[in-house]
Amino acid sequence: MTAETEPTHPTQHLIPSTDGFTIAVHDWAGSGPTIVFCHATGFHGRVWDPIIADLRDVARCVAIDLRGHGDSAVTEGLVANGSDAWNDVLAVIDALELGSGLLSVGHSLGGGTIVVTEMQRPGTFADGWLVEPILIPKDYKRDQGPSLADLARRRREVFASRDEVFNRYMSRPPFSNCDPTMVRAYVDYGFRDLDDGTVILKCRGETEAWLFEHTTWVDHELLADVATPFTLVGTGDGGIPALIAKDAAEALANGRFQFEADLTHFAPLEDPAWAARHIRAMI
């Protein structure tokens, strides 16, 4: 495929999943192996756009909006439970007839979802590069501190414009430490227009809070049955996902651990070129 014929936007498919959810998936054309991308809590599939731009010459990239996120946003009467998001991944794989032995990329919730998908249907993934996947062991004792759910509920949801959102986010951590192209992709596709001209978060604060409050514990003994050679990236930020990444990698039958001391849990957004290099190396 030449630069002249490459589409500037992915094809969006809307696919029925379990529990009444309709899942949006963004399918970039391309030859080579298929990579399934899954995002972190509060984000969406299009946040991967700047990274996918560096990979489209070697792979077909498929990015999913997990339930409650992006264009798979919650509708009235539905409750998004991140622990069930593996159903969304399998629904997409089956509907698009992607087959098995796929490559995978995941961040936080998305990384954990990829591993659980493989547990539910062994052989789905042949390899994966996962940044601090949420695979919290049953016996893990969390430190007391600010509740992510409380912070999500207090998050401002409505802004005058996407430009206002972008400028606000880039002015303060954690987004001030991120690559502007990644933040721009998050903002451009993470808000929807309201009738009065303002914009509102697609993944609403209450949805994100529910997801944080209903994180499912994972029995690390069961990870030994996962044969896929997943690479788990841990960073130096000291948060729970960083602290459990090495243990989760060691619990996997063929897990590999990659430590990045100078990055944080937002690593793919902080350095998309670094992420693209490691994903390309997996292909």
Side-chain angles (χ1 to χ4, degrees):
M1 180 176 292
T2 65
E4 290 77 14
T5 60
E6 281 189 353
T8 56
H9 294 282
T11 299
Q12 185 185 88
H13 307 280
L14 297 177
I15 294 171
S17 185
T18 58
D19 307 318
F21 283 94
T22 298
I23 302 304
V25 56
H26 312 282
D27 185 2
W28 290 95
S31 57
T34 298
I35 308 176
V36 175
F37 289 78
C38 291
H39 58 79
T41 302
F43 290 87
H44 51 74
R46 295 297 301 272
V47 76
W48 297 105
D49 279 11
I51 294 172
I52 288 174
D54 283 346
L55 300 168
R56 291 173 58 201
D57 62 323
V58 292
R60 174 189 180 183
C61 299
V62 175
I64 301 172
D65 290 351
L66 299 173
R67 60 184 58 196
H69 298 83
D71 292 337
S72 305
V74 172
T75 56
E76 186 175 355
L78 297 181
V79 176
N81 189 335
S83 301
D84 296 327
W86 60 269
N87 291 288
D88 306 337
V89 178
L90 291 180
V92 167
I93 290 171
D94 291 344
L96 298 185
E97 299 181 345
L98 300 181
S100 58
L102 305 169
L103 302 180
S104 58
V105 173
H107 178 205
S108 195
L109 167 68
T113 298
I114 286 169
V115 173
V116 174
T117 301
E118 179 64 22
M119 295 171 73
Q120 297 293 330
R121 187 188 288 179
T124 297
F125 298 112
D127 206 341
W129 188 77
L130 314 176
V131 179
E132 296 190 350
I134 302 304
L135 296 168
I136 302 175
K138 285 185 175 181
D139 57 353
Y140 192 83
K141 292 182 170 51
R142 307 188 197 202
D143 293 331
Q144 294 299 315
S147 165
L148 292 175
D150 289 341
L151 293 173
R153 288 191 172 97
R154 295 200 296 268
R155 182 168 295 124
R156 181 178 170 185
E157 295 184 327
V158 178
F159 293 82
S161 67
R162 287 174 178 81
D163 285 343
E164 183 191 8
V165 182
F166 176 77
N167 292 331
R168 179 181 174 88
Y169 282 6
M170 289 301 298
S171 70
R172 62 196 71 190
F175 293 115
S176 59
N177 299 318
C178 294
D179 184 282
T181 64
M182 297 294 290
V183 180
R184 189 82 241 187
Y186 166 49
V187 171
D188 283 352
Y189 301 104
F191 285 76
R192 64 179 176 85
D193 298 311
L194 295 175
D195 292 340
D196 63 1
T198 61
V199 296
I200 188 169
L201 270 169
K202 290 180 178 177
C203 182
R204 304 293 297 277
E206 187 59 40
T207 298
E208 188 173 358
W210 172 271
L211 290 164
F212 283 132
E213 289 175 338
H214 293 81
T215 299
T216 296
W217 307 100
V218 175
D219 187 344
H220 275 210
E221 292 184 0
L222 297 179
L223 295 181
D225 296 330
V226 177
T228 302
F230 289 118
T231 295
L232 273 57
V233 179
T235 71
D237 74 1
I240 291 175
L243 295 174
I244 64 174
K246 188 173 188 293
D247 289 342
E250 292 175 347
L252 289 164
N254 296 294
R256 302 164 297 202
F257 180 64
Q258 176 184 336
F259 182 60
E260 300 288 348
D262 296 330
L263 295 174
T264 77
H265 188 61
F266 280 68
L269 285 82
E270 292 169 342
D271 195 342
W274 159 84
R277 285 196 305 274
H278 285 286
I279 297 166
R280 185 178 282 265
M282 177 180 63
I283 298 172

